[in-house]
Structure formats: C-alpha cells, structure tokens
Amino acid sequence: MDSRSAQEGQASRLSLLLVSRTFKETMLPLLYSKPYLPSLEVFILFCERLLDGDRKWDNLRRIHHSTPGRWVEWLNFTYLSNLNNSQYLKFDRHLAQIFSVIPFLRYLNLPTTNMMTRPTMQALADSEIVSALKDLRGIHVPAPPNYSFLQIESLTHLLRSCYMLRHLELIGSGLDNDTDILDEDTVYCPASFSLPHLRSLCILHIPYSPILQVLSRAELPELRLLTISIYADKEKSDANAFLKVHGSNLTHLTLSATKHTLENLLVLCSSLRYLSLPTIPTAMMRPITPSPIAILSIPRPTMEFLNGVVEPFLTSLRQVHIREVRYLRRGLGVGAANTGSSAIILEWRRRLARRGVTVLDAQGRSGP
C-alpha cells in the first residue's frame, strides 16, 4: 500500500469516530491495530498515547485488549526510511519503550537504513511479542567492518527468541570494494538454534555477515521461499554458503539483481517449483534428477539459454515470464516482429508451445 492510499484509509476511519459513541468503540481497536505512522512526530505521539493508556489501566481490568497497546498488531515504518542519525536514535529509543505494552504485535517492518541498537533488540527479545510475532522485516545488517560482534550477538539472540516467525527479511548495503572484507575465513560460532515455523526468508545485499553464518547452521525445517542476493564471483561468500546448506528444501527461489548466477543452481536447489533469475546465465550444470521447476521468470530470452538449459533440463516447465520484452502488435508488420528480442520471444513461444508451456511477456500477454 502506498502512502496516499494509507493516508486516505486512515482519514476515512477517523471520520467514523465522530458518527456516534458506538462507532467510536468499534473503530478505535481497528485504528490501533494497523496505525498509519507517516512521520517521526506522529510515531512519538503514538508512543506517548500507548504508554499513557497503559499507565491509566489497573490490574483488575487488564484483560487481553484492555489498553490501546494490546490492540496493536501491525507496525509499518517504511515511511520513516529517511531519518538521519539523531532522528533514528530518537525513533529507536521510543520503539524500545513500547515493546512491553504491545504484546500481540504480529507484523513489524523496520526502517532499513539503520540497525537497531542493542538495548532495543534486547527489549524486543525479552518482551511478550516474541510469542506473537510472525513477520519481521527491514532488519538492517551492516557490511563489515561497520558492525561489532556485540551487535551480532544481540541480533542472534533476537532471532533465537522469535521462534514463531513465518517470514524474515534481512537487508544489507552490499560491498563497496573488496577491502570491506575482514577475513573470508572468519567463522562466527554461537550456539545453534531453530526457527521451526520460518517459511519465507529474504536476504538482500549481504555477501558477508556473521548472521548469515548463524542462519546457515540454524535448523529451518519449513523454509520453502527464499529471495537472496548471491555472489558467484566470490566463492566463500556467506550468502552462497547459506544457499548451499538450505537450497535442497526450497520450492520458490528469487535471485535478486546480481551480475552472476551459480552454475550449479539446479543441483543445489533440486526441489524448486518457481525460479526467478536476475540475468541469463551463460551455462548451468545438468541437475542430477529432472528439475521440477514449473514457473520460470527471466529478464530477456536468448536462444542459447533455450537450447542449453530450458529444453534439456526443465522438463516440467509450464509457464515462462519474460519481464523486459513485449510481444509486438500484429499491425507493426512482419519485419519488426522478426528482429531482435521480438523474434526470440516468438521462437520461444513456438517451440515451447509443443510442450504446453505458456510464454508471457512483460505485460502478462501470452501472444501478440
């Protein structure tokens, strides 16, 4: 949902508070359950209201939803992604204060520009939220050497505590140059843990990080959907190591925009049903068993990829999505349709149609 839609939705719900007392009692929990927080000032007022409401209620009336904080189920801070350092510290401090009064929070989307401070991560890990939190997004993981192992330990403790997570998103800043790497052979070895319900994981722009080493050794029995930035030109990257450990259980894999694709991808991820590639690989190793991939998403079609990978290896394919090429309209003439990518996508469509495979273009059309 964009900012304008969220603002309009909040305004319409606020107007219902003025209809009657009954409407107000009905709408207040809905407003608090998924608040619209467009600025730091609004968030601070929101925190003050939650803390004030918690102080006013006594223990005799502390039922499940007796205070405004216990209505809160969804916090989205993507609108606060442009905070400077001093503003973020203020945001971080207020966030730590409200964790103890919002025990039923299920969804938390943090600003991706900064890493939570250790006290805030500790406050979240020690709160009742961990038994309700199912979706944690926007965790910023700084590139080496811009972190301390104390921060990594706090983040590891947080992930270990959030045992009910279904979705986790980790976002880094990539590497500016190879001098950012402290030591590729450095291994971080805390006690292993399990996230038994984690089904979906997003790891973007994090080639090297101790937290990926932790997740590589963690038990993730339900992990099926993965979005990841891999680095085929850096064999010892922690992102590649994670894919090698957990790739065999994946059914959906989306590779983020990177320049390289692992040649042994189909071997590592032998159970895939959906695969999205950022670039067309020059070559791929033959899988040990026929690949069960049914849906393939690629930026542009090439005849080399069709001849060398799609036809011989992807025998279960049912749909191909070409993200950057469109079928030309019939009225543009035969000459235009038979040149460049337009001719290649038509050839893909003709040859794969024999196997019952649908080839969709960038607009989702299955033909000219």
Side-chain angles (χ1 to χ4, degrees):
M1 181 183 296
D2 58 24
S3 177
R4 183 176 179 179
S5 299
Q7 187 174 6
E8 292 175 351
Q10 184 83 341
S12 62
R13 290 191 292 269
L14 283 172
S15 64
L16 293 176
L17 298 179
L18 305 177
V19 174
S20 67
R21 185 171 183 177
T22 301
F23 266 86
K24 182 178 180 180
E25 292 176 351
T26 302
M27 291 305 301
L28 267 179
L30 296 178
L31 285 170
Y32 277 101
S33 66
K34 194 175 180 180
Y36 172 60
L37 305 171
S39 67
L40 179 61
E41 292 73 20
V42 172
F43 171 64
I44 292 175
L45 292 174
F46 176 73
C47 294
E48 292 174 351
R49 181 63 61 88
L50 294 184
L51 295 172
D52 184 61
D54 189 72
R55 284 192 294 266
K56 288 181 178 179
W57 285 87
D58 57 55
N59 291 332
L60 294 178
R61 290 182 289 180
R62 191 173 290 279
I63 59 176
H64 273 194
H65 299 288
S66 60
T67 63
R70 292 174 175 252
W71 291 330
V72 179
E73 297 181 357
W74 182 289
L75 287 179
N76 184 1
F77 297 114
T78 54
Y79 306 118
L80 305 182
S81 297
N82 297 319
L83 301 179
N84 58 39
N85 289 337
S86 61
Q87 290 174 326
Y88 185 84
L89 289 176
K90 184 181 292 186
F91 162 81
D92 187 86
R93 184 171 64 254
H94 281 82
L95 185 63
Q97 292 174 353
I98 66 171
F99 281 147
S100 61
V101 299
I102 51 174
F104 301 112
L105 186 68
R106 296 185 295 107
Y107 176 95
L108 177 60
N109 195 345
L110 297 163
T112 60
T113 52
N114 296 82
M115 188 176 189
M116 282 191 295
T117 61
R118 292 178 59 212
T120 302
M121 286 190 280
Q122 187 67 42
L124 176 56
D126 294 342
S127 69
E128 297 179 36
I129 293 175
V130 295
S131 62
L133 189 62
K134 293 179 173 58
D135 200 327
L136 179 58
R137 306 189 182 206
I139 297 290
H140 178 73
V141 181
N146 300 320
Y147 61 80
S148 69
F149 275 96
L150 292 177
Q151 288 177 301
I152 296 300
E153 287 180 359
S154 297
L155 181 54
T156 301
H157 175 62
L158 172 60
L159 296 182
R160 182 184 292 112
S161 302
C162 297
Y163 60 93
M164 294 299 293
L165 280 180
R166 266 66 169 176
H167 177 80
L168 174 64
E169 181 184 67
L170 305 172
I171 300 179
S173 53
L175 291 175
D176 292 333
N177 51 65
D178 290 341
T179 59
D180 288 342
I181 305 171
L182 294 178
D183 185 356
E184 290 186 350
D185 296 322
T186 300
V187 178
Y188 177 56
C189 297
S192 62
F193 62 93
S194 174
L195 294 175
H197 306 288
L198 188 69
R199 183 169 180 81
S200 176
L201 178 61
C202 180
I203 302 172
L204 295 179
H205 315 304
I206 311 176
Y208 297 94
S209 175
I211 199 63
L212 289 190
Q213 298 175 10
V214 172
L215 289 173
S216 293
R217 291 189 299 275
E219 296 181 15
L220 309 176
E222 293 298 318
L223 183 63
R224 297 294 181 271
L225 290 79
L226 177 65
T227 299
I228 189 171
S229 301
I230 61 171
Y231 300 82
D233 56 333
K234 299 184 182 299
E235 295 182 0
K236 294 185 179 181
S237 84
D238 295 325
N240 295 1
F242 177 88
L243 187 61
K244 292 176 182 178
V245 172
H246 296 290
S248 60
N249 292 330
L250 299 176
T251 58
H252 291 65
L253 176 62
T254 299
L255 300 183
S256 182
T258 52
K259 296 180 181 179
H260 306 278
T261 300
L262 295 176
E263 291 187 3
N264 60 344
L265 184 64
L266 298 180
V267 178
L268 294 176
C269 307
S270 57
S271 301
L272 287 181
R273 298 282 298 169
Y274 172 90
L275 175 62
S276 177
L277 298 174
T279 58
I280 298 297
T282 55
M284 299 191 78
M285 292 175 54
R286 177 183 292 273
I288 300 174
T289 57
S291 174
I293 292 176
I295 301 176
L296 175 67
S297 176
I298 57 175
R300 307 182 74 85
T302 65
M303 294 307 300
E304 293 79 9
F305 189 61
L306 177 64
N307 296 327
V309 177
V310 174
E311 289 188 329
F313 298 162
L314 308 185
T315 56
S316 299
L317 198 62
R318 290 294 173 265
Q319 185 182 103
V320 178
H321 181 205
I322 311 294
R323 301 190 299 270
E324 299 177 4
V325 180
R326 294 181 297 176
Y327 289 113
L328 294 182
R329 296 191 302 272
R330 295 183 185 276
L332 294 179
V334 177
N338 290 334
T339 59
S341 296
S342 301
I344 297 176
I345 192 174
L346 287 174
E347 181 63 14
W348 274 55
R349 178 173 178 264
R350 183 185 68 81
R351 287 170 56 172
L352 293 179
R354 305 167 185 168
R355 296 164 43 186
V357 179
T358 303
V359 179
L360 304 177
D361 69 355
Q363 295 181 329
R365 299 180 302 167
S366 59

